[in-house]
């Protein structure tokens, strides 16, 4: 098969790495890819939101399966457009992708399907936000309805913060149309976990659980990021929680969407808060998580391509096999991320890192330099996802950090405590 992977981050490198292990695969393209991906796939200079360009490419190259990484392509309707042309593509339709693109859609859908989630009010004015805040008390969570590059969720501790955030979203319109509607939610307490399920619209199969680290600094301090590290499995996710999430979250949502005439195929990512009164959904994403995918896929023993293809058909759900060893992914970022940062720093030590047993370095924001393309340079906020397996979590963490230590670039930043919650458990 010829496979096209769309995207350019660590998640996509992990997808390409795993797809390359499939006996079904003859050739992999990645658009636009990065310097690490270029070692196992042919990179094509097309952006993830260039749907027409990607469609032309897939037709011309007779791609057998396209695997979409980022939500932008899905929300732009890439699956609808490819399917209209008879091309096989992994992911949900534009309408089903609203589960991530609109917090309001997701919350209303959860309510309709009886999926446990934080109590909420949909607001369109500052006045409505303030009265919803009275209902829930402080702290309270304000969410811009649309996609806001991970910056649309604000946990407000004071009424001053609520007013300021509501003003920014609804009056100053800092998120544009994405902030015309604001979902106000009760603030949940507990431990978070990411549960991802492959689904063909009727049945679902859960991937191994994982946990992300969203804050930029150790001890979960500092700004929210796309994710500074992950580990799998998340010990907080018991067998009982897995069953609960399948029966009370994943299956009701896919059944509900099917009933509405928008069947959901692809991967459904449920961000869960495990509260004292049971697991509740914080958010849905309609794609693989980043960096959760790096930690999860190094543990997958089954053929990923077969599992992805299953979502496009009607057969019985496959049983996925997992390496029993836990894994850890430490994100190595550019200093300053998630704020402004400099690119183009020379990355040293990747050759040494490549020799370490049970470790694999996924590239996120990297490119090759100069005519001879001998050096790797930083080219994004998150630069690498250093991922390792270990007999136990402590050993996986040790191997990941031993690998991180071989790598150097100017202003490099990483968290030193990835996995701390699981170790504590
Ligand atoms: P979301 O994009 O909805 O997942 O929100 C991003 C992050 O904000 C989540 O991963 C949580 O850490 C936090 N969050 C979102 N909703 C809530 C809530 N209702 N209570 C507490 N924290 C929340
Ligand atoms: N790591 C969180 C996400 O992919 O949204």
């Amino acid at each position: 098969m010829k496979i096209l992977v769309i995207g350019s981050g660590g998640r996509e490198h992990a997808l390409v790495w795993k797809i390359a292990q499939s006996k079904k695969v003859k050739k992999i393209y990645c658009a636009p890819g990065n310097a690490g991906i270029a070692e196992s796939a042919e990179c094509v200079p097309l952006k993830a939101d260039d749907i027409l360009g990607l469609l032309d490419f897939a037709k011309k190259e007779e791609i057998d399966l396209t695997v979409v990484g980022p939500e932008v392509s899905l929300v732009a309707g890439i699956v609808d457009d490819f399917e209209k042309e008879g091309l096989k593509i992994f992911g949900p339709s534009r309408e089903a992708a609203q589960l991530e693109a609109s917090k309001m859609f997701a919350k209303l859908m959860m309510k309709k399907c009886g999926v446990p989630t934080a109590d909420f009010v949909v607001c369109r004015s500052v006045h409505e936000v303030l009265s919803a805040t009275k209902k829930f008390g402080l702290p309270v969570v304000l969410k811009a309805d649309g996609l806001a590059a991970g910056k649309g969720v604000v946990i407000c501790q004071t009424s001053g913060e609520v007013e300021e955030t509501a003003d920014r979203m609804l009056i100053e319109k800092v998120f544009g149309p994405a902030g015309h509607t604001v979902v106000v939610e009760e603030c949940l307490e507990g431990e978070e976990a990411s549960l991802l399920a492959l689904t063909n619209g009727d049945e679902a199969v859960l991937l191994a659980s994982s946990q992300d680290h969203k804050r930029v600094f150790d001890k979960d301090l500092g700004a929210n990021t796309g994710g500074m590290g992950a580990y799998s499995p998340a010990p907080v996710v018991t067998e009982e929680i897995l069953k609960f999430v399948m029966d009370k979250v994943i299956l009701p949502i896919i059944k509900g969407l099917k009933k509405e005439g928008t069947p959901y195929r692809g991967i459904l990512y449920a961000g869960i808060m495990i509260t004292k009164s049971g697991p509740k959904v914080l958010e849905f994403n309609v794609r693989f998580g980043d960096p959760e995918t790096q930690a999860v896929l190094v543990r997958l023993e089954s053929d990923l391509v077969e599992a992805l293809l299953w979502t496009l058909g009607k057969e019985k759900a496959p049983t996925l096999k997992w390496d029993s060893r836990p894994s850890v992914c430490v994100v190595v970022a550019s200093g300053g991320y998630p704020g402004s940062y400099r690119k183009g720093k020379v990355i040293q030590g990747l050759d040494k890192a490549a020799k370490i047993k049970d470790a694999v370095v996924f590239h996120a924001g990297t490119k090759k330099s100069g005519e001879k393309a001998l050096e790797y340079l930083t080219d994004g906020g998150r630069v690498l996802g250093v991922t390792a397996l270990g007999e136990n979590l402590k050993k996986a963490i040790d191997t990941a950090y031993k690998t991180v230590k071989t790598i150097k670039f100017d202003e490099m930043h990483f968290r030193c405590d990835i996995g701390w919650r699981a170790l504590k458990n």
Side-chain angles (χ1 to χ4, degrees):
M1 290 178 78
K2 282 186 180 179
I3 311 259
L4 168 64
V5 175
I6 297 176
S8 60
R11 164 183 56 204
E12 286 76 17
H13 192 185
L15 285 166
V16 165
W17 173 86
K18 187 66 198 166
I19 287 169
Q21 293 169 17
S22 170
K23 286 198 187 81
K24 288 185 139 46
V25 174
K26 201 174 72 197
K27 168 99 189 170
I28 310 174
Y29 296 94
C30 187
N34 62 40
I37 290 174
E39 281 160 23
S40 12
E42 182 176 331
C43 291
V44 190
L46 289 167
K47 291 217 175 97
D49 60 357
D50 179 4
I51 310 298
L52 281 180
L54 291 164
L55 184 59
D56 274 349
F57 178 81
K59 282 201 283 191
K60 198 177 95 236
E61 292 299 333
E62 298 177 336
I63 298 295
D64 299 299
L65 175 68
T66 299
V67 181
V68 186
E71 65 278 12
V72 280
S73 326
L74 297 164
V75 174
I78 190 166
V79 171
D80 311 64
D81 292 350
F82 271 51
E83 284 182 345
K84 253 185 241 147
E85 299 280 344
L87 291 165
K88 280 200 177 128
I89 181 161
F90 169 81
S93 66
R94 177 190 333 211
E95 251 185 277
Q98 288 302 305
L99 221 44
E100 176 165 356
S102 166
K103 304 266 186 213
M104 178 176 69
F105 178 89
K107 294 296 283 192
L108 295 175
M109 206 56 218
M110 283 190 258
K111 199 168 170 185
K112 224 184 226 175
C113 303
V115 170
T117 186
D119 207 0
F120 69 100
V121 179
V122 174
C123 300
R124 294 202 170 79
S125 70
V126 175
H127 174 74
E128 284 174 356
V129 171
L130 296 177
S131 46
T133 302
K134 278 209 190 100
K135 175 176 171 186
F136 298 127
L138 291 166
V140 74
V141 186
L142 268 55
K143 298 184 172 182
D145 176 50
L147 295 178
K151 298 197 171 87
V153 176
V154 184
I155 300 177
C156 300
Q157 304 291 342
T158 65
S159 45
E161 238 182 295
V162 173
E163 209 164 330
E164 194 187 308
T165 307
D167 259 4
R168 276 164 41 80
M169 289 180 182
L170 290 156
I171 298 179
E172 291 167 42
K173 302 194 190 300
V174 291
F175 298 122
H180 289 182
T181 302
V182 172
V183 175
V184 179
E185 280 188 16
E186 68 172 314
C187 189
L188 299 177
E189 267 179 57
E191 196 167 327
E192 284 183 50
S194 307
L195 287 165
L196 287 83
L198 290 167
T199 170
N200 65 355
D202 292 307
E203 284 189 278
V205 45
L206 281 168
L207 304 190
S209 65
S210 57
Q211 195 174 85
D212 185 10
H213 298 58
K214 292 211 160 78
R215 304 298 191 104
V216 67
F217 298 126
D218 285 16
K219 303 208 171 85
D220 292 330
L221 296 174
N224 255 323
T225 68
M228 291 299 294
Y231 56 87
S232 172
V236 61
V237 179
T238 57
E239 282 298 322
E240 195 187 349
I241 290 176
L242 283 177
K243 183 163 169 17
F244 182 92
V245 170
M246 182 57 117
D247 294 345
K248 306 285 182 209
V249 176
I250 306 287
L251 291 175
I253 282 288
I254 61 178
K255 290 211 169 98
L257 283 167
K258 189 175 178 187
K259 209 162 128 200
E260 304 271 303
T262 44
Y264 189 103
R265 278 185 290 269
I267 186 114
L268 179 58
Y269 168 141
I272 305 279
M273 182 81 91
I274 298 162
T275 73
K276 283 201 184 106
S277 55
K280 294 190 178 175
V281 176
L282 292 169
E283 65 167 337
F284 282 120
N285 292 318
V286 297
R287 48 168 176 82
F288 283 99
D290 189 342
E292 290 95 324
T293 303
Q294 292 86 311
V296 167
L297 288 188
V298 293
R299 298 188 53 225
L300 180 63
E301 288 172 346
S302 311
D303 186 317
L304 179 63
V305 175
E306 274 174 18
L308 301 179
L309 282 170
W310 165 74
T311 66
L312 303 177
K314 295 257 167 249
E315 294 86 50
K316 210 175 159 315
T319 308
L320 299 178
K321 276 184 144 175
W322 299 95
D323 192 326
S324 60
R325 291 175 299 166
S327 65
V328 173
C329 170
V330 177
V331 169
V332 178
S334 299
Y337 171 79
S340 59
Y341 53 84
R342 281 182 290 229
K343 298 185 191 175
K345 308 284 182 194
V346 176
I347 308 170
Q348 285 169 328
L350 288 171
D351 46 343
K352 261 189 238 149
K355 291 192 187 113
I356 295 179
K357 189 169 167 282
D358 291 333
V360 37
V361 177
F362 294 117
H363 289 221
T366 66
K367 66 173 186 186
K368 282 263 180 103
S369 73
E371 295 230 311
K372 291 202 180 128
L374 291 175
E375 277 178 333
Y376 289 96
L377 301 181
T378 67
D379 196 37
R382 290 190 286 178
V383 176
L384 303 166
V386 177
T387 310
L389 286 157
E391 251 167 76
N392 53 44
L393 186 74
K394 173 82 175 51
K395 287 193 175 150
I397 292 173
D398 288 348
T399 304
Y401 281 108
K402 184 174 131 193
T403 312
V404 168
K405 282 208 181 97
T406 64
I407 298 167
K408 267 200 196 72
F409 59 85
D410 236 17
E411 296 169 25
M412 151 174 168
H413 166 70
F414 56 91
R415 275 182 62 159
C416 298
D417 63 347
I418 300 303
W420 71 270
R421 268 211 182 83
L423 280 183
K424 192 189 71 184
N425 284 335

